[in-house]
Amino acid sequence: MQTEASFKLAVLVSGRGSNLQAIIDSIERGELNAGISLVLSSKPDAPALDRAKNYGIPTHVLESKSFSGKGEFDRALVAELRSRKVDLICLAGFMRILSREVVAAFPGRIINIHPSLLPAFPGLNSQKQALDYGVKFAGCTIHFVDESVDCGPIILQAVVPVYDNDSPETLSARILEQEHRLYPRAIRLIQENQLTRDGRRVLQNPTSVGKTA
Ligand code: GRF
């Protein structure tokens, strides 16, 4: 794994790390011209940390219980990310809400993946929320992170069908396949400077339309 690449990523995790793996795989295949400078976990036992170590990627754990409050945790988070001089921060199953201070420290440089077609079903257990609501299509969203939860401007979305015999697990697995496809693409769009913002709308520059969607 290239940790000295010119476009440096930090991936923030709390658990399994399958999206981290998708980003690593994309870099390893040469599809994404970036390096992961840091995998930061809010849980010391997150399997995502082992995935990072397998590729020699630097890791760091920030556990909320080691800090006296959210402000102190957030200051440590900002300091760690700044020290790695990262270009883009990718939330991939990071189970903490970023404060206004953290978001303001990296304007337009934090993105998140969420397993629903936002603005539908923000928050936890989105796949179960979708099933319980009775939607016929579900999916995932990559968006810029702002101070509100699961609310920032949308970069990419992918849609999957919901079948009558779906459980939260089968639907999650179908969505996850699309998450893994989408996350490296969103990073590449940012790395290649192919996105422009028009209010809430995130537009692909005309020369790139059709190439990556
Ligand atoms: C994914 O479903 C992602 O959309 C959500 O948390 C889950 C993380 O999965 N934010 P993994 O740790 O990347 O496997």
Side-chain angles (χ1 to χ4, degrees):
M1 165 65 57
Q2 221 189 331
T3 47
E4 293 309 316
S6 59
F7 193 75
K8 294 181 181 174
L9 307 174
V11 184
L12 274 50
V13 297
S14 297
R16 178 178 57 183
S18 70
N19 279 289
L20 166 67
Q21 188 68 54
I23 297 167
I24 292 172
D25 292 346
S26 180
I27 294 171
E28 295 275 297
R29 285 196 299 266
E31 293 165 4
L32 190 56
N33 185 13
I36 303 177
S37 304
L38 174 68
V39 169
L40 186 145
S41 176
S42 62
K43 303 246 172 74
D45 55 353
L49 289 169
D50 297 324
R51 295 186 195 261
K53 285 172 191 156
N54 287 342
Y55 293 86
I57 299 169
T59 61
H60 191 80
V61 175
L62 282 183
E63 254 192 306
S64 54
K65 69 176 187 201
S66 315
F67 297 90
S68 62
K70 186 156 169 50
E72 202 191 313
F73 178 97
D74 288 344
R75 279 190 289 281
L77 177 59
V78 169
E80 182 62 26
L81 292 168
R82 282 202 172 125
S83 78
R84 304 284 177 170
K85 297 190 169 31
V86 294
D87 297 292
L88 186 67
I89 297 159
C90 304
L91 310 187
F94 188 58
M95 298 300 286
R96 301 255 327 172
I97 294 171
L98 298 189
S99 67
R100 184 184 299 268
E101 288 71 28
V102 177
V103 175
F106 306 99
R109 293 200 285 134
I110 310 179
I111 62 175
N112 181 43
I113 185 156
H114 184 77
S116 79
L117 294 172
L118 290 171
F121 314 126
L124 295 174
N125 302 318
S126 307
Q127 303 93 334
K128 181 170 186 309
Q129 288 187 55
L131 279 181
D132 291 348
Y133 194 91
V135 294
K136 300 300 183 192
F137 291 93
C140 55
T141 303
I142 314 261
H143 63 92
F144 285 107
V145 172
D146 60 17
E147 308 79 40
S148 40
V149 177
D150 299 332
C151 247
I154 292 169
I155 302 168
L156 291 175
Q157 290 186 307
V159 178
V160 302
V162 178
Y163 299 127
D164 288 353
N165 60 356
D166 264 330
S167 63
E169 291 72 30
T170 58
L171 180 58
S172 298
R174 195 173 309 120
I175 294 172
L176 198 61
E177 252 180 65
Q178 297 305 314
E179 294 187 35
H180 297 164
R181 192 177 66 81
L182 227 54
Y183 218 154
R185 287 180 184 204
I187 296 168
R188 201 176 72 211
L189 287 172
I190 294 168
Q191 188 252 321
E192 293 180 349
N193 226 0
Q194 293 195 34
L195 301 179
T196 51
R197 293 268 293 270
D198 177 13
R200 272 201 60 89
R201 298 185 73 198
V202 179
L203 309 172
Q204 288 187 35
N205 296 335
T207 51
S208 67
V209 168
K211 282 189 186 164
T212 55

Coordinates of all heavy atoms in Angstrom, one line a residue, residues 13-21 48 51 91-95 112-116 127 140-141 172 175-176 179-180, ligand 1:
V13 N -13.3 4.5 10.9 CA -14.0 3.3 11.0 C -14.4 3.0 12.5 O -13.8 3.7 13.4 CB -13.2 2.1 10.5 CG1 -12.8 2.3 9.0 CG2 -11.9 2.0 11.3
S14 N -15.3 2.1 12.7 CA -15.6 1.6 14.0 C -15.8 0.1 14.0 O -16.0 -0.5 15.1 CB -16.9 2.3 14.6 OG -16.8 3.7 14.7
G15 N -15.9 -0.5 12.9 CA -16.3 -2.0 12.9 C -15.6 -2.8 11.8 O -14.3 -2.8 11.7
R16 N -16.4 -3.5 11.0 CA -16.0 -4.5 10.1 C -15.0 -4.0 9.0 O -14.0 -4.7 8.7 CB -17.3 -4.9 9.4 CG -17.2 -5.9 8.3 CD -18.7 -6.2 7.9 NE -19.4 -5.0 7.4 CZ -20.6 -5.0 7.0 NH1 -21.3 -6.1 7.0 NH2 -21.2 -3.9 6.6
G17 N -15.2 -2.9 8.4 CA -14.2 -2.3 7.5 C -14.3 -2.8 6.1 O -13.3 -2.8 5.4
S18 N -15.5 -3.3 5.7 CA -15.6 -3.8 4.3 C -15.4 -2.6 3.3 O -14.9 -2.8 2.2 CB -16.8 -4.6 4.1 OG -18.0 -3.8 4.1
N19 N -15.9 -1.5 3.6 CA -15.7 -0.3 2.7 C -14.3 0.1 2.7 O -13.8 0.5 1.6 CB -16.6 0.9 3.1 CG -18.0 0.7 2.6 OD1 -18.3 0.8 1.4 ND2 -19.0 0.4 3.5
L20 N -13.6 0.1 3.8 CA -12.1 0.3 3.8 C -11.5 -0.7 2.9 O -10.6 -0.3 2.0 CB -11.6 0.1 5.2 CG -10.1 0.0 5.4 CD1 -9.4 1.3 5.0 CD2 -9.7 -0.4 6.8
Q21 N -11.9 -1.9 2.9 CA -11.3 -2.9 2.1 C -11.5 -2.6 0.6 O -10.6 -2.8 -0.2 CB -11.8 -4.3 2.4 CG -11.1 -5.5 1.7 CD -9.7 -5.7 2.2 OE1 -9.5 -5.8 3.4 NE2 -8.7 -5.6 1.3
A48 N -11.7 -3.7 11.2 CA -11.1 -2.8 10.2 C -9.6 -2.5 10.5 O -8.8 -2.3 9.6 CB -11.9 -1.5 10.1
R51 N -7.5 -5.2 9.0 CA -7.4 -5.0 7.5 C -6.3 -4.0 7.2 O -5.5 -4.2 6.3 CB -8.7 -4.5 7.0 CG -9.9 -5.5 7.1 CD -11.0 -4.9 6.3 NE -12.3 -5.5 6.6 CZ -12.9 -6.5 5.9 NH1 -12.3 -6.9 4.8 NH2 -14.1 -7.0 6.2
L91 N -15.5 8.7 6.0 CA -16.1 8.0 7.0 C -16.7 6.7 6.5 O -17.5 6.7 5.5 CB -17.3 8.9 7.6 CG -17.0 10.3 8.0 CD1 -18.2 10.9 8.8 CD2 -15.7 10.4 8.9
A92 N -16.3 5.6 7.1 CA -16.8 4.3 6.6 C -17.2 3.5 7.8 O -16.5 2.7 8.3 CB -15.7 3.6 5.8
G93 N -18.5 3.7 8.2 CA -19.0 3.0 9.4 C -18.4 3.6 10.7 O -18.3 2.9 11.7
F94 N -18.1 4.9 10.7 CA -17.6 5.6 11.9 C -18.8 5.9 12.8 O -19.6 6.7 12.4 CB -16.8 6.8 11.5 CG -16.0 7.5 12.6 CD1 -15.1 6.8 13.3 CD2 -16.2 8.8 12.9 CE1 -14.4 7.4 14.3 CE2 -15.5 9.4 13.9 CZ -14.6 8.7 14.6
M95 N -18.8 5.4 14.0 CA -20.0 5.5 14.8 C -20.0 6.7 15.7 O -20.3 6.5 16.9 CB -20.3 4.2 15.6 CG -20.5 3.0 14.7 SD -22.0 3.2 13.6 CE -23.3 3.0 14.8
N112 N -19.0 10.8 3.6 CA -19.6 9.6 4.3 C -20.4 8.7 3.4 O -20.8 9.2 2.4 CB -20.5 10.2 5.4 CG -21.2 9.1 6.3 OD1 -20.5 8.2 6.7 ND2 -22.5 9.2 6.5
I113 N -20.5 7.5 3.8 CA -21.3 6.5 3.1 C -22.5 6.1 4.0 O -22.3 5.9 5.2 CB -20.6 5.3 2.5 CG1 -21.5 4.5 1.7 CG2 -19.9 4.5 3.6 CD1 -20.8 3.6 0.7
H114 N -23.7 6.1 3.4 CA -24.9 5.8 4.2 C -25.7 4.7 3.5 O -25.9 4.9 2.3 CB -25.7 7.0 4.5 CG -26.8 6.7 5.4 ND1 -26.7 6.6 6.8 CD2 -28.1 6.5 5.2 CE1 -27.9 6.3 7.3 NE2 -28.8 6.3 6.4
P115 N -26.2 3.7 4.1 CA -26.9 2.6 3.4 C -28.3 2.9 3.2 O -29.2 2.0 3.5 CB -26.6 1.4 4.3 CG -26.6 2.0 5.7 CD -25.9 3.3 5.6
S116 N -28.7 4.1 2.7 CA -30.0 4.3 2.2 C -30.0 5.4 1.1 O -28.9 6.0 0.9 CB -30.9 4.8 3.4 OG -30.7 6.2 3.6
Q127 N -31.5 -0.1 6.7 CA -32.0 -1.1 5.8 C -33.3 -1.7 6.5 O -34.3 -1.9 5.7 CB -31.0 -2.3 5.7 CG -29.7 -1.8 5.1 CD -28.7 -1.4 6.2 OE1 -29.0 -1.1 7.3 NE2 -27.4 -1.6 5.8
C140 N -27.8 3.2 -1.5 CA -26.8 3.8 -0.7 C -26.4 5.2 -1.3 O -26.7 5.5 -2.4 CB -25.5 3.0 -0.6 SG -24.8 2.5 -2.1
T141 N -25.8 6.0 -0.4 CA -25.5 7.4 -0.7 C -24.1 7.7 -0.2 O -23.8 7.4 0.9 CB -26.5 8.4 0.0 OG1 -27.8 8.0 -0.4 CG2 -26.2 9.8 -0.4
S172 N -29.3 -5.7 3.3 CA -28.0 -5.0 3.6 C -26.9 -5.5 2.7 O -26.0 -4.8 2.2 CB -27.6 -5.3 5.0 OG -28.5 -4.8 5.9
I175 N -27.2 -4.0 -0.8 CA -26.8 -2.6 -0.7 C -25.2 -2.5 -0.6 O -24.6 -1.7 -1.3 CB -27.4 -1.8 0.4 CG1 -29.0 -1.7 0.2 CG2 -26.9 -0.4 0.6 CD1 -29.7 -1.2 1.3
L176 N -24.7 -3.4 0.2 CA -23.2 -3.3 0.5 C -22.4 -3.5 -0.8 O -21.4 -2.9 -1.0 CB -22.8 -4.4 1.5 CG -21.5 -4.2 2.2 CD1 -21.5 -2.9 3.0 CD2 -21.2 -5.3 3.2
E179 N -22.2 -0.3 -2.2 CA -21.4 0.6 -1.4 C -19.9 0.5 -1.9 O -19.2 1.4 -2.1 CB -21.5 0.3 0.1 CG -22.9 0.6 0.6 CD -22.9 0.4 2.2 OE1 -21.9 0.7 2.8 OE2 -23.9 0.0 2.7
H180 N -19.5 -0.8 -2.0 CA -18.1 -1.1 -2.4 C -17.8 -0.6 -3.8 O -16.6 -0.2 -4.0 CB -17.9 -2.6 -2.3 CG -18.0 -3.1 -0.9 ND1 -18.2 -4.4 -0.6 CD2 -18.1 -2.4 0.3 CE1 -18.3 -4.6 0.7 NE2 -18.3 -3.4 1.3
Ligands
GRF1 C1 -21.9 0.5 5.9 O1 -23.2 -0.1 5.7 C2 -22.0 1.9 5.7 O2 -22.9 2.4 4.8 C3 -22.5 2.4 7.1 O3 -21.8 1.5 8.0 C4 -21.5 0.3 7.4 C5 -20.1 0.1 7.5 O4 -19.7 -1.2 7.0 N1 -22.2 3.8 7.3 P1 -18.2 -1.6 6.9 O5 -17.5 -1.4 8.3 O6 -17.6 -0.7 5.9 O7 -18.2 -3.0 6.5

